[in-house]
Amino acid sequence: MTEGRVNPTQSLEAQGMSELGTVYYNLIEPDLVSEAVRRGEGTLGQGGTLLVTTGKHTGRSPRDKFVVETANVAGDIWWENNAPMAPDAFDRLHDDMIAHMKGRDYFVQDLYAGADPTHRLDVRVVTELAWHGLFIRHLLRRPERAELDGFVPEFTIINCPSFSADPDRHGCRSETVIALNFEKNMILIGGSQYAGENKKSVFSALNYLLPEKGVMPMHCSANHAPDNPADTAVFFGLSGTGKTTLSADPARVLIGDDEHGWSERGTFNFEGGCYAKTISLSAEAEPEIYATTQKFATVIENMVYDPETKDLDFEDDSLTANMRCAYPLHYISNASDTALGGHPRNIIMLTCDAFGVLPPIARLTPAQAMYHFLSGFTSKVAGTERGVTEPEPTFSTCFGAPFMPRRPEVYGKLLRDKIARHGATCWLVNTGWTGGAYGTGSRMPIKATRALLSAALDGSLADATFRKDPNFGFEVPIEVEDVADILLDPRRTWEDQGAYDAQARKLVQMFADNFAQYEAHIDDDVKAVAIG
């Protein structure tokens, strides 16, 4: 039995998924909320939100992600970063998952990944949980109802949380598996209820496909000046570094909060929604995002709430520090109608420095920008991945190594070429610690970060007086309006400045050790700015 709207030639049965229970095609938000509540998948919250939990997986499982080693991609994949799966193991996984699906109900969403029609990917997401269908309907881009009549999926995701993989039979590591097959244009996900796997699998696919078209895929948020898409800024960074918070500037138009492409025409959002962390979220600091937690069909994930009043507890991280809400982009009042921008005028690389060494902002040359992009220094933030309970210093190349199928230099050279062609100014912004390392110092004041970013984006920061940082070689402003001078010189914020020097030397060596892996693949101008 089927319900909903679908291209009649593109049913699940036509894709080899037969003998299923009821298949719900392209249900809209009210129906998905109703089905999720009826099936006991979640609870109706204030404003008609959907309150859900994800069980033992409250974050992504990067060690359970695999790329199928087919002949068409074997020479292009960065195998040091992507675990291989044999094609026959994938075929067994696929066959066993299809057999597992028989007799069960499924929810299908046919969606677009990419606001630019020239470069979008038409994606079908098949899930056994109604709320997963709602989640991905928020996070990707929704076709008009009439467009569904001719929709033909270019990539299909099948997500069965109730399916347990067999490592011996399926060539994986555990009962949880995320397998990308670029020959069959298919992604299989099993053994995890964490909805973020759906979204990041699409991003991984785009990260493989788009560079061949000269499009730079970016793990970044983006916004532009009011009535001026040509004044676009992008914000690179891992989860927890401030991409969502800092791009949601009420004085600018939000293009998107997490994943974008940079094409020959400019910037475009891959997604149609936002997936914001809610720990310590407040109406005072982030009113727009906070308001979405009481709007109809927002998915509230892994948050503790009062069982009687349904009031959310934004401080209780007993389920996970990675509590989140997923909502459509139009819930943000200043969101772009088109999700399109111009070529970035400013590129901001966000880092969460747990060492307390980096300044709150620094200006980068194009060569330094490629260096820091390839380095991708930050700290993993508690809850984003399983087992991470406090910030850990890490180097995640391109600010998104878990989602990069190709070698980092592919993305680094694309970025450098586009910076050179379009004249973007690059900034490194530390949203991490000051006055000491994690556990001793304090988080960088968000008010100061916002003031520095405003000065960078309106052009006034370019007129400041800069000093050259003795450890990292980039330029740091000496004085900026509305920012305490001491913050701009992190050494001065430490009581023991000798301890700062030792910590800085340690971090410089970490940069040097990490960057050694790229030196055989990069040009001399980037080698010349290498740290250490």
Side-chain angles (χ1 to χ4, degrees), residues 397-417:
T397 189
C398 309
F399 295 100
F403 324 117
M404 301 297 170
R406 297 178 182 270
R407 278 205 60 85
E409 297 85 7
V410 172
Y411 308 105
K413 288 176 181 177
L414 259 176
L415 180 66
R416 187 181 63 175
D417 290 348

Side-chain angles (χ1 to χ4, degrees), residues 10 47 50 108 128 147 159 174 194 206 223 250 264 271 281 283 314 316-317 376 401 407 442 444 465 469 507 514:
Q10 300 296 321
L50 185 65
V108 177
E128 64 180 354
E147 293 179 290
N159 189 331
S174 73
Y194 183 65
L206 290 168
N223 62 27
E264 70 285 353
E271 300 184 312
L281 185 66
F314 292 89
D316 189 336
D317 63 356
R407 278 205 60 85
S442 56
M444 195 70 68
T465 301
D469 186 274
L507 185 56
N514 172 74

Side-chain angles (χ1 to χ4, degrees), residues 10-64:
Q10 300 296 321
S11 67
L12 292 193
E13 190 168 17
Q15 290 184 280
M17 289 171 265
S18 59
E19 301 178 40
L20 304 180
T22 301
V23 179
Y24 299 88
Y25 289 96
N26 296 305
L27 297 186
I28 63 173
E29 291 80 353
D31 294 329
L32 288 166
V33 171
S34 297
E35 283 294 329
V37 172
R38 183 175 73 83
R39 292 164 184 268
E41 297 174 7
T43 300
L44 200 63
Q46 290 188 13
T49 59
L50 185 65
L51 311 174
V52 299
T53 56
T54 62
K56 67 179 182 179
H57 292 277
T58 58
R60 291 180 294 101
S61 298
R63 294 183 63 206
D64 294 309

Side-chain angles (χ1 to χ4, degrees), residues 15 52 67 123 427 526:
Q15 290 184 280
V52 299
V67 175
V123 179
W427 308 90
V526 181

Side-chain angles (χ1 to χ4, degrees), residues 100 127-129 132 159-164 189-194:
H100 173 84
T127 70
E128 64 180 354
L129 295 173
H132 273 202
N159 189 331
C160 298
S162 65
F163 176 84
S164 295
I189 304 173
S192 174
Q193 293 187 51
Y194 183 65

